[in-house]
Amino acid sequence: RRVLFRSMSVLRWGLIGAGDIARKRVAPALRDLENCDLVSVSRERFELAEAFAYEFGARKWFADWRELISDREIDAVYVATPVYLHAEQTIAAAETGKHVLCEKPMALNVKDCDDMIDACRSNRVKLGIAYYRRFYPAVSRVKEIVRSGEIGNVVIAQINAFEYFNPSPDDRRRWFIEKKRSGGGPMMDFGCHRLEVLNHLFGKLRRIKSVVSNDVFKREVEDSATAVMQFENGTCATVTVTHAAAEAQDTLDLYGTVGSIHIPVLNRGEITIKVGTKSRIEVHPPETNFHLPLIRNFAESVIRDQDPEVIGETGRSVALMIDEIYRNG
């Protein structure tokens, strides 16, 4: 059956979790991509799982995710649950022979990441992590410019990621600020995306320091943090994140020995390149559905028996950076 399935070039999916990201991006991509077939959905409340399945055309729904991963009709699962569940669900899915694409951040800590990687390797299934900015045309273009030497050696990289977030006690997204479930605040939630971008652009990390603060909201997780790091190639970088600033920020600025690159809103993809007295603007917008290229790549990788672009080790590298940030802050 698997041989026949692969010849059809379609990957049959089960979706574990049906929250905001699943509804906005993951399920639409699994429904719309030609190389994907959304077979089943799991969610704790059976009636909500059923409604979600009807909305996106899934043929099956479960309240217990363990039933979903036991279904022989599916080949892969997308884990779209809170962070504290990622390791357990990924490992269990791998042990039933399912390929796994897991939401970011990969897990609560590096040890959990290692266990996930080991389980997928032992069971000969693929493991991908949902760092979808790897597929942004703007990020690819920045890497191309940096490699070309047009702006010289990159001396400084700076990223700001500000999203105001102060949920009420009954907000369904409140788990994001509960340490046992989320693992941390904005650095864990969306700072991880920016750390992955820097890791992709500059490679192996040499050292990292941080300042972590919860002075505004007095939470058990940080409301603001800055990480300062240096990569093996010499580039120094900062990532500053916050839930507390009123003004939203999504910036990437690189300063080289010859020129500079500036992206005022990374999610839009407009790039300004400055070299000497000359300046130009390029526009490289992402897909409307940010997750779609990531999921397409993962499905293609499984069908062709290749590694996906964003593998488990990618998620582990980011988790190691986050562990150091919280340890040093």
Side-chain angles (χ1 to χ4, degrees), residues 96-108:
T96 63
K98 306 298 190 287
H99 304 282
V100 182
L101 181 51
C102 181
E103 257 304 326
K104 60 78 210 167
M106 182 173 175
L108 291 175

Side-chain angles (χ1 to χ4, degrees), residues 160-178:
N160 286 343
F162 304 167
E163 296 180 19
Y164 188 84
F165 184 60
N166 188 24
S168 62
D170 60 347
D171 191 313
R172 67 178 183 271
R173 300 180 71 234
R174 191 170 178 82
W175 70 267
F176 280 100
I177 60 171
E178 297 171 0

Side-chain angles (χ1 to χ4, degrees), residues 10-15 20-39 52 55-58 78 101 103 130 132 287-300:
V10 174
L11 191 65
R12 300 170 298 188
W13 288 87
L15 174 59
D20 289 343
I21 289 297
R23 180 175 297 280
K24 291 176 183 176
R25 299 179 190 165
V26 179
L30 295 176
R31 176 194 62 198
D32 296 342
L33 282 166
E34 292 184 359
N35 62 2
C36 294
D37 177 17
L38 178 56
V39 174
F52 192 97
E55 181 178 355
F56 292 101
Y78 193 109
L101 181 51
E103 257 304 326
Y132 56 78
E287 292 265 3
T288 302
N289 182 342
F290 297 156
H291 277 66
L292 193 144
L294 166 91
I295 295 172
R296 179 196 292 126
N297 171 262
F298 187 85
E300 289 174 352

Side-chain angles (χ1 to χ4, degrees), residues 48-180:
L48 295 180
E50 181 181 22
F52 192 97
Y54 273 110
E55 181 178 355
F56 292 101
R59 301 187 291 280
K60 302 178 183 180
W61 50 91
F62 305 93
D64 188 343
W65 59 268
R66 294 169 186 84
E67 292 186 53
L68 181 146
I69 65 172
S70 299
D71 185 359
R72 292 185 178 182
E73 190 177 354
I74 65 171
D75 305 281
V77 297
Y78 193 109
V79 175
T81 50
V83 185
Y84 76 102
L85 295 170
H86 288 182
E88 178 188 6
Q89 292 172 339
T90 295
I91 292 166
E95 289 174 347
T96 63
K98 306 298 190 287
H99 304 282
V100 182
L101 181 51
C102 181
E103 257 304 326
K104 60 78 210 167
M106 182 173 175
L108 291 175
N109 52 59
V110 173
K111 182 187 180 303
D112 283 352
C113 295
D114 287 337
D115 291 343
M116 294 161 72
I117 292 169
D118 289 345
C120 290
R121 184 180 294 122
S122 297
N123 290 282
R124 299 183 179 182
V125 296
K126 309 293 184 188
L127 174 60
I129 309 300
Y131 285 114
Y132 56 78
R133 281 175 174 80
R134 175 71 67 92
F135 298 90
Y136 278 12
V139 172
S140 297
R141 179 60 178 141
V142 167
K143 187 164 187 173
E144 182 181 307
I145 293 169
V146 169
R147 283 182 169 177
S148 75
E150 182 180 359
I151 65 168
N153 295 325
V154 179
V155 181
I156 298 292
Q158 297 176 329
I159 289 179
N160 286 343
F162 304 167
E163 296 180 19
Y164 188 84
F165 184 60
N166 188 24
S168 62
D170 60 347
D171 191 313
R172 67 178 183 271
R173 300 180 71 234
R174 191 170 178 82
W175 70 267
F176 280 100
I177 60 171
E178 297 171 0
K179 190 169 185 177
K180 286 184 178 180

Side-chain angles (χ1 to χ4, degrees), residues 210-273:
S210 62
V211 175
V212 178
S213 169
N214 63 354
D215 288 348
V216 176
F217 295 125
K218 309 295 184 184
R219 297 170 175 166
E220 58 183 7
V221 300
E222 84 280 4
D223 52 53
S224 304
T226 296
V228 182
M229 66 207 77
Q230 185 179 34
F231 293 87
E232 290 287 357
N233 70 349
T235 301
C236 295
T238 60
V239 174
T240 300
V241 299
T242 186
H243 277 158
E247 179 181 335
Q249 291 271 296
D250 180 29
T251 65
L252 172 61
D253 296 284
L254 308 183
Y255 299 88
T257 53
V258 176
S260 60
I261 298 173
H262 306 275
I263 304 180
V265 182
L266 187 57
N267 282 347
R268 295 179 187 167
E270 182 177 294
I271 308 172
T272 299
I273 302 102

